[in-house]
Amino acid sequence: MPATVIVGAQWGDEGKGKIVDLLAQESDLVCRYQGGPNAGHTIVVDGETYKIRAIPSGIVAGVASAIGAGCVVDPAVLIEELDDLEARGHRTDGLVFVSGNAHLIMPWHVALDGARERRLGNLQIGTTRRGIGPAYADKATRIGIRVQDLLDPKILREKVELAAGEKNVWLERVYGIEPFDAEDVVAQTLAHAERLAPYVEDTSLLVDRALRDGRDVLFEGAQGTLLDLDHGTYPFVTSSSPIAAGAAVSFGIGPQRIDEVVGVSKAYVTRVGEGPFPSEITGPAQDRVRELGGEFGTVTGRERRCGWLDLVALRFAVRVNGITSLALTKVDVLSDFDEIPVCVRYRLPDGEETEDFPAHQSDFHHCEPVFETLPGWLEELAGPALPPAAADYVAFVAGSLDVPVTLVGTGASRDAVLALQP
């Protein structure tokens, strides 16, 4: 179908990059619709590992890639990524496009992000301290600096001086941090402007023309559904909208133009940072899953918290995204377990059990998982078919959600994916 959204169905880190890379090979344009360089996608191609942070994952497959207005861009990180891709033989000119309406992450955003987390102490959100939240906050208060401002030195200078004046008050008086010199920031940003200017594009028009021409457009988000600013486990969320509807907003197209929504979920669950996590594994099994799955942050290297698959949360993701099919990744990681618990319901504080995600945060924070245990398969996932117990596990997930599982991840490499008939 012409327009497909790839959305994380958990707390991020589901393996979206691999699925995007796979589907990008049959697409004409890949579009990143939210987030910033705190969220990395890891792709393994011919034994070579790519850790993509800013540019859509499709670039590794040589497909035109666009960064939408709903993203925030750290110019230094983007330039570093462009340089690295070109050094490894990947063309970027004429293939990478950045919305002029996307907002820039400025040096004070990074400083404020770290300072706020330190000040919060035990109440910290668990951000990656890359300046993402403060950049989105400035966007909402209408003092943000946009990518298109790089193209007009006069406007850029005026905006930097305005923003620096306000941010320096906070940095000095609240957090005791050295202020930024506006002239230094302007000079540094103008240096970035020269490198990035050729990539600035009207990405809304770009996508509209592609869809009108009947071309295949793939939209990818960062993070995952449960980190959505409006629908996630607030306040332990990101600062944008990873859900599928965010693709239409970011690229300025009507929601009716989205044809398919592919949800990506691990065969278990991971979460980075703070916040409630009902199906979190207790005891040594957590370390076992973490090591087998390589569950460490692409960008930060932080250990990810690991849990058994949570069908209550996954059912919620199916609902709020309109997921039409599911890609179940890292099924191979569970090959080391003779029994595999799956969370099928929550037990609420009043003793009631529910298959629906709680609407009230207090219920979610204090609920207990109700598990059903499935048999493991204790064998490698090799060949064109899954072992019977693994196939039963996949069928159990699909049947519980009433959504077909069409892709199954059986290893780290690009080709370690089985396509299933819906």
Side-chain angles (χ1 to χ4, degrees):
M1 302 296 289
T4 301
V5 179
I6 307 295
V7 63
Q10 297 168 316
W11 273 287
D13 308 311
E14 301 95 347
K16 296 181 294 296
K18 178 178 180 175
I19 301 303
V20 171
D21 178 61
L22 178 71
L23 299 182
Q25 297 173 59
E26 298 178 358
S27 301
D28 300 298
L29 178 64
V30 179
C31 304
R32 168 82 174 270
Y33 62 87
Q34 53 80 218
N38 59 334
H41 289 167
T42 301
I43 302 166
V44 181
V45 181
D46 298 329
E48 193 169 356
T49 300
Y50 295 84
K51 294 182 181 293
I52 307 294
R53 291 185 283 170
I55 302 173
S57 309
I59 193 64
V60 177
V63 178
S65 301
I67 298 173
C71 298
V72 288
V73 176
D74 186 322
V77 171
L78 179 55
I79 289 170
E80 179 184 355
E81 202 158 284
L82 289 167
D83 291 344
D84 179 64
L85 286 165
E86 290 176 356
R88 297 171 76 171
H90 294 275
R91 177 186 152 206
T92 63
D93 62 297
L95 284 179
V96 175
F97 307 96
V98 184
S99 171
N101 291 339
H103 280 245
L104 294 176
I105 299 171
M106 302 301 289
W108 44 76
H109 292 142
V110 179
L112 285 168
D113 199 358
R116 286 172 181 168
E117 284 289 274
R118 289 189 296 271
R119 188 179 180 88
L120 286 170
N122 292 335
L123 297 177
Q124 63 183 270
I125 303 301
T127 78
T128 55
R129 306 190 181 194
R130 303 275 167 168
I132 312 299
Y136 275 114
D138 279 2
K139 174 181 179 177
T141 55
R142 298 179 293 278
I143 62 167
I145 299 171
R146 298 191 294 176
V147 169
Q148 62 178 274
D149 296 330
L150 295 172
L151 308 181
D152 191 321
K154 181 181 177 182
I155 290 178
L156 178 65
R157 181 179 298 277
E158 290 175 353
K159 289 193 171 185
V160 167
E161 289 175 349
L162 174 66
E166 177 180 311
K167 301 306 174 186
N168 282 339
V169 173
W170 279 91
L171 289 169
E172 286 187 283
R173 299 184 185 179
V174 178
Y175 300 112
I177 295 175
E178 285 293 315
F180 287 92
D181 182 273
E183 284 301 318
D184 290 344
V185 175
V186 169
Q188 181 185 49
T189 309
L190 286 175
H192 294 325
E194 185 176 354
R195 177 75 171 93
L196 294 178
Y199 297 96
V200 181
E201 184 66 62
D202 182 344
T203 56
S204 175
L205 185 60
L206 182 75
V207 169
D208 178 72
R209 286 175 173 170
L211 293 176
R212 286 180 183 276
D213 291 343
R215 297 165 65 199
D216 292 321
V217 180
L218 195 64
F219 298 93
E220 66 164 359
Q223 289 96 23
T225 300
L226 296 174
L227 293 177
D228 186 88
L229 181 60
D230 293 307
H231 302 284
T233 53
Y234 191 91
F236 305 102
V237 294
T238 192
S239 300
S240 56
S241 292
I243 62 172
V249 175
S250 180
F251 280 91
I253 60 170
Q256 81 279 8
R257 302 181 79 180
I258 295 173
D259 300 292
E260 298 285 342
V261 179
V262 179
V264 183
S265 165
K266 283 176 182 164
Y268 49 99
V269 183
T270 61
R271 176 164 197 176
V272 173
E274 306 302 320
F277 190 2
S279 68
E280 186 166 13
I281 301 170
T282 58
Q286 169 147 186
D287 293 330
R288 197 168 159 201
V289 171
R290 183 181 296 118
E291 291 298 326
L292 289 168
E295 297 300 349
F296 304 91
T298 298
V299 175
T300 65
R302 289 190 299 178
E303 289 186 348
R304 295 173 183 148
R305 299 158 63 191
C306 299
W308 302 116
L309 187 64
D310 184 340
L311 292 180
V312 180
L314 203 48
R315 187 176 294 109
F316 172 75
V318 169
R319 170 163 60 88
V320 299
N321 290 293
I323 289 173
T324 54
S325 66
L326 199 67
L328 200 62
T329 64
K330 291 196 169 184
V331 177
D332 56 300
V333 173
L334 299 182
S335 298
D336 204 47
F337 296 86
D338 56 359
E339 291 185 334
I340 304 170
V342 177
C343 175
V344 293
R345 294 183 300 281
Y346 292 162
R347 184 177 295 113
L348 302 177
D350 63 1
E352 180 185 354
E353 293 187 3
T354 180
E355 293 184 345
D356 296 316
F357 200 78
H360 196 286
Q361 62 180 0
S362 295
D363 287 336
F364 180 64
H365 280 243
H366 298 99
C367 71
E368 297 177 355
V370 178
F371 289 108
E372 185 168 330
T373 301
L374 303 182
W377 43 92
L378 296 176
E379 58 181 295
E380 290 186 14
L381 303 185
L386 293 171
D392 289 344
Y393 185 89
V394 173
F396 180 80
V397 173
S400 300
L401 301 174
D402 196 24
V403 170
V405 175
T406 55
L407 295 170
V408 174
T410 58
S413 65
R414 171 192 269 181
D415 57 355
V417 178
L418 290 180
L420 306 181
Q421 291 298 322

